[in-house]
Amino acid sequence: MKKTTCPLDCFDGCSIVVGEDKTLKGDKDHPVTQGYLCHHLNHYHTFPRIAKPSYLGREISLDEAMDVLEQQLSQNPQNKTLFFKGSGNLGIMQSVTKLFFAKHEAVLASGSLCDEAGDAGIVEGRGANLSFSPLHVKQSEVVILWGRNPSVTNSHMLPSLKGKTLIVIDPVSIDLAQKADLHIPIKPRSDIYLAMLLSRVAYMEQMEDTEFIEQRCSNFKSFIDFVCGIPMRDLMHKCGCSLENVGTLLSLIKGKKVSILVGIGVQKYSFGHSVLRSIDSFAALLGLFGKEGCGVGYLSNSGFGFDAPFKVKAKTEVLPIVDFGKYGLVFIQGGNPMEQMPCTPRVEHGLKNAGFVVYFGLHENETSKIADLIIPAKTFLEKDDLKLSYGHEFIGQMPKAYESDIGISEYELCSKLMSHFNYEPLQSAEAILQGVINSHSVLKNGHLISKTYETLPYEKTFYTSSGKFEFFDEFDDEFDNDSEGFYLLATKQNKSLNSQFIKDDYLYVPLHVGLNKGDKVILSNQYGQCEYIVMPSDRLRSDCVMLYSGAKNANRLTPPKASQEGHCAIYQEIKVQMEKV
Ligand SMILES: Nc1nc2c(c(=O)[nH]1)N[C@H]1C(S)=C(S)[C@@H](COP(=O)(O)OP(=O)(O)OC[C@H]3O[C@@H](n4cnc5c(=O)[nH]c(N)nc54)[C@H](O)[C@@H]3O)O[C@H]1N2
Ligand SMILES: Nc1nc2c(c(=O)[nH]1)N[C@H]1C(S)=C(S)[C@@H](COP(=O)(O)OP(=O)(O)OC[C@H]3O[C@@H](n4cnc5c(=O)[nH]c(N)nc54)[C@H](O)[C@@H]3O)O[C@H]1N2
Ligand code: SF4
Ligand SMILES: [Mo]
């Protein structure tokens, strides 16, 4: 029996017991994940993986594949070589390959398809984006799910929500909205306005925490002047929320221990950083930081405080908008940009025009289909790694559980390339991983945790240069919310992890449009048009249609643009027109 940790892009970072027969079971000793795994890991071995490398559609050996890769790397100018990493596996060692590409003076795609817009806003206000543990949420009296859907994306948070007053702010009537004490079906892209409206009314009701604001915050007066300078009518119109909604929410949280769990939905927009900053500012006004059972949790910076062994200096390109077509050699690791990056037609055009495309991954996908060279990876069970979770403080060790003849690990691939090009050899994998652990961990109740969590998050300090929380007082929003069309939402699905595992390709549409299951529609906007098969849903606002992340054609109409801060994709900064076929 060996223990390891789930490597997938998920808040939970489940601890796993691997049996002699390779079966995977939840580890009952883990304080957060407590013996349960989700669909993906319960069925992990049933999903077909790539067994053999292939070159231009022909199976070859791993040695031959490495020869082809080395030849391509020698042949292509270094500044015409691009390294692109997705988030199929979040182990620390996934980034080892960056060392090679940086040393080789290649260009690295840098930025995010995920959470970095929001992260940038949190860092502006708090100086660092610390994790917010389910064990901490357990101490709350009220939990606000603000654009976050834990029953799908963070199932090990659910026990901490039991018995709490629950408020859901989400344009979709998610499962937990149906059980909540209050559901505000907010207009998409308007959370910043709701947060300002809440702050303003809370201030009018004298709910602010004067002591916390005086001692631990800066810029409060500018914030309040700014918020009070916008007519309430405008704020209500922008977010489609009534004063009654606001009053009910404030009465439910007044004097209570409140946790606000924010997901990526609120920040898939150009001004995503400001959205998180406005939610944080509302929480700071109420004095919710550094206290038991209180605070704002987001996808945290899991590496905060730890040594970063693969931090490199390199030429970079903004990841969500990188133009693959400019490169002679594109190396894609652990990602599926053909499905997951914004504006598929542009990605497709770029990858088809790139000189040579390498896909280094576990499963066949839309990107492997167009790659010239496919190199199969080892699974997380077949290599040494370490996972720091973005949803809790526990350090997830990942020692190799067993050997396999299939694929190559990122460490091995990188070592081979370093040696081929006579670059300095890597430290041993064990030394690298132990170095990370030693840099910032402490043993608490028999479990290794991040040193930052010896106390409550932000109890002692914020991590800004002043050590104080910085209220916001400006933002820039140029999108026309009142323009014609539907918002095109993308959310996560139970049985898939983005484009991995089991997909659901339907376009969900509100009932009032009068379409039936299986009807075909064409969605269009300035980026193109595409046909979808419909599934009616009673969970959507009348101005929204929805696809799952990973669905076929989910990104045909999404914008090739990055956020104002954080180099992040802004999938929902669009509206679409819908026509029945
Ligand atoms: N099963 C499963 N789990 C996953 C994943 C998966 O694919 N499948 N993906 C993982 C990854 S990569 C990530 S980043 C996390 C994401 O975790 P979450 O943030 O929880 O996931 P999402 O479904 O993207 O978004 C959450 C909610 O935001 C809402 N939303 C959309 N737009 C808006 C808006 O403008 N305002 C508000 N208030 N809400 C909005 C959506 O309706 C949705 O219910 O989940 C991780 N966990
Ligand atoms: N429209 C729309 N698009 C979105 C989103 C959205 O909400 N809306 N969500 C975005 C978000 S939050 C994210 S995080 C991205 C995710 O997008 P991607 O990072 O592209 O993630 P996946 O689709 O899960 O593809 C991961 C790939 O990694 C491979 N892989 C798994 N394990 C390993 C390993 O150990 N080694 C190697 N080398 N490969 C491995 C798998 O085979 C799989 O093909 O998608 C984004 N795309
Ligand atoms: S995907 Fe998330 S919930 Fe599922 S096993 Fe992995 S860490 Fe746990
Ligand atoms: Mo993500």
Side-chain angles (χ1 to χ4, degrees), residues 53-73:
S54 64
Y55 175 48
L56 303 177
R58 187 174 59 82
E59 268 191 13
I60 54 172
S61 70
L62 198 53
D63 286 343
E64 287 168 322
M66 289 306 295
D67 288 345
V68 175
L69 176 59
E70 285 158 5
Q71 207 184 354
Q72 284 293 329
L73 283 161

Side-chain angles (χ1 to χ4, degrees), residues 6 98 135 160 230 247 252 274 292 317 328 352 358 361 366 379 398-399 404 443 452 467 479 509 518 553 558:
C6 174
K98 263 202 228 167
L135 301 183
S160 300
I230 307 174
L252 287 171
S274 299
E292 192 184 77
E317 276 235 40
K352 285 189 171 152
V358 183
E366 292 70 14
T379 73
M398 301 173 73
S404 158
L443 201 60
T452 316
F479 186 79
V509 302
N553 296 326
T558 51

Side-chain angles (χ1 to χ4, degrees), residues 543-562:
D543 55 0
C544 296
V545 295
M546 192 199 90
L547 285 154
Y548 288 117
S549 170
K552 187 165 182 250
N553 296 326
N555 280 307
R556 286 270 150 197
L557 305 171
T558 51
K561 290 184 181 167

Side-chain angles (χ1 to χ4, degrees), residues 9 87 113-115 264 299 390 492 498:
D9 188 342
S87 60
L113 299 180
C114 182
D115 60 333
I264 60 167
L299 295 83
Y390 59 75
K492 309 296 186 194
N498 297 310

